[in-house]
């Protein structure tokens, strides 16, 4: 057995439990000063104080690490990204600064469609290479598990290529990658005149193939005015549910489409965005197990009002935070920026934000039993900060304080080392 003991941790902070935290319980995080953690074969075997660990374990030099001056947190789970894509769209970003709305660019055939063309042009090797670079960057900000969506192929070949590449990255890279099929990201030009036929194609051909190949766990849809209607989203997601997929929805991002309500009705694992969520949507989500995944960096980049995080948590929703990293609406994967926006601008407490990016993020990818907290029996996915207290996460605003990342008990990133 391989054992590693971390001692003298200035402060250990973690939510606790194996299910998503709803409402006010998101604040219940455990804090231990002068903490210690024992890792055995990649799993957490003990969590307590350094005094306790000294009483229970024999400390030998070769397996003990002193983390004085450092805070320790669970690895972050970024539960909503589109990190496999070709090309970039800086021109659109500049158009938006001049006042052209995101959705107008989309309706005029730009936006996602531009990225689809550039992504279709990538072969598997190039896609993998880009994915690897982007995962390394995420890792340096403490992300140990990431959800990745397809949705920039929209045809059979390129959608499958995106999913296969993410599967390979999951197997070979230190970050866990959870796959989501997002064929319903946009109606491809080939089907512009007949969106229903595109739905038929996804339901009859794509879902069975993806299920057979076991290359995605979730199916997602961009339910938005001018993209997929509520009815179309319901048709696709009902079929996906029947085929055994977990469900996710890009919900109420720009206008309220009733998609938070739909997510709750269908028992979706998460409804994401929710900038324009209705009162009814909040109420339905609060009563359901569906996680409200909020993406503050997207609201920031699109200059839109943030999702009503405070209202949702006070109503009893389980809230997760994620980056939405993509080349269009939100070309940033910055975890430090996300913490800053959530706490300074959305009225979340730092404890809520931490829970949202760890345990609730894990629940949003169906992994809340294995990861998301520092507890006995869970995987040792850990983030070491270069600061002694976790308050520095927001106090040292938008600064990346991660100095080491441990995945399954192994150090996979150390600041300043390749
Ligand atoms: O979550 N809203 C749809 N999808 C992405 C944007 C994708 C893109 O613009 O390329 C989002 O914001
Ligand atoms: Fe998205």
């Amino acid at each position: 057995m391989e054992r590693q003991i971390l001692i003298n941790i200035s402060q250990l902070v973690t939510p606790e439990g194996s299910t998503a935290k709803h409402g006010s319980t998101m604040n219940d995080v455990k804090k231990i000063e002068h903490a210690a953690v024992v890792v055995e074969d990649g799993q957490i075997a003990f969590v307590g104080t350094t005094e306790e660990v000294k009483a229970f374990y024999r400390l030998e030099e070769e397996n003990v690490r002193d983390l004085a001056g450092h805070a320790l947190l669970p690895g972050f789970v970024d539960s909503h990204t589109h990190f496999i894509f070709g090309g970039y769209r800086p021109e659109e970003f500049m158009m938006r600064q001049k006042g052209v709305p995101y959705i107008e660019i989309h309706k005029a055939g730009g936006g996602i469609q531009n990225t689809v063309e550039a992504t279709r042009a990538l072969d598997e090797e190039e896609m993998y290479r880009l994915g690897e670079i982007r995962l390394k960057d995420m890792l340096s900000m403490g992300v140990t598990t990431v959800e990745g969506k397809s949705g920039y192929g929209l045809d059979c070949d390129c959608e499958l290529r995106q999913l296969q590449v993410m599967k390979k990255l999951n197997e070979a890279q230190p970050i866990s990658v959870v796959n989501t099929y997002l064929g319903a990201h946009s109606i491809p030009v080939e089907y512009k005149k007949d969106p229903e036929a595109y739905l038929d194609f996804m339901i009859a051909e794509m879902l069975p193939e993806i299920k057979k190949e076991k290359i995605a766990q979730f199916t997602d849809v961009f339910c938005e005015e001018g993209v997929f209607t509520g009815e179309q989203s319901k048709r696709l997601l009902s079929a996906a549910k029947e085929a055994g997929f977990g469900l996710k929805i890009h919900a109420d991002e720009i206008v309220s489409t009733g998609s938070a309500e739909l997510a709750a009705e269908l028992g979706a694992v998460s409804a994401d965005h929710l900038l324009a969520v209705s009162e009814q949507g909040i109420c339905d989500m609060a009563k359901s197990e569906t996680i409200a995944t909020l993406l503050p960096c997207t609201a920031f980049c699109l200059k839109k009002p943030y999702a009503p995080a405070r209202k949702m948590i006070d109503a009893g929703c389980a809230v997760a935070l994620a980056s939405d990293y993509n080349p269009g609406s939100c070309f940033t994967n910055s975890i430090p920026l996300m913490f800053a926006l959530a706490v300074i601008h959305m009225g979340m407490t730092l404890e809520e934000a931490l829970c949202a990016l760890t345990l609730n993020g894990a629940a949003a990818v169906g992994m809340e039993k294995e990861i998301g907290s520092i507890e006995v029996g869970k995987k040792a996915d850990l983030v070491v900060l270069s600061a002694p207290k976790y308050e520095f996460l927001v106090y040292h605003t938008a600064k990346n304080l991660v100095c080491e990342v441990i995945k399954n008990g192994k150090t996979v990133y150390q600041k300043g080392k390749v």
Side-chain angles (χ1 to χ4, degrees), residues 10-11 13 69-71 73 76 335-337 339-340 343-344 350 385-402:
S10 288
Q11 190 186 46
V13 188
H70 298 281
L73 307 171
F76 301 138
I335 301 295
L337 177 62
F339 269 116
V343 175
I344 302 171
L350 181 54
L385 298 187
S386 59
K389 282 175 170 281
Y390 85 121
E391 285 90 346
F392 280 71
L393 279 176
V394 278
Y395 164 56
H396 203 157
T397 309
K399 168 90 176 159
N400 183 22
L401 296 173
V402 174

Side-chain angles (χ1 to χ4, degrees), residues 80 82 250 273 324:
H80 180 141
H82 309 247
H250 277 67
H273 282 292
D324 196 23

Side-chain angles (χ1 to χ4, degrees), residues 123-134 165 169:
D123 63 18
E124 191 174 318
E125 212 175 300
E126 182 66 354
M127 225 181 234
Y128 185 96
R129 197 186 65 81
L130 287 168
E132 185 181 5
I133 293 169
R134 292 170 188 159
V165 162
L169 287 165

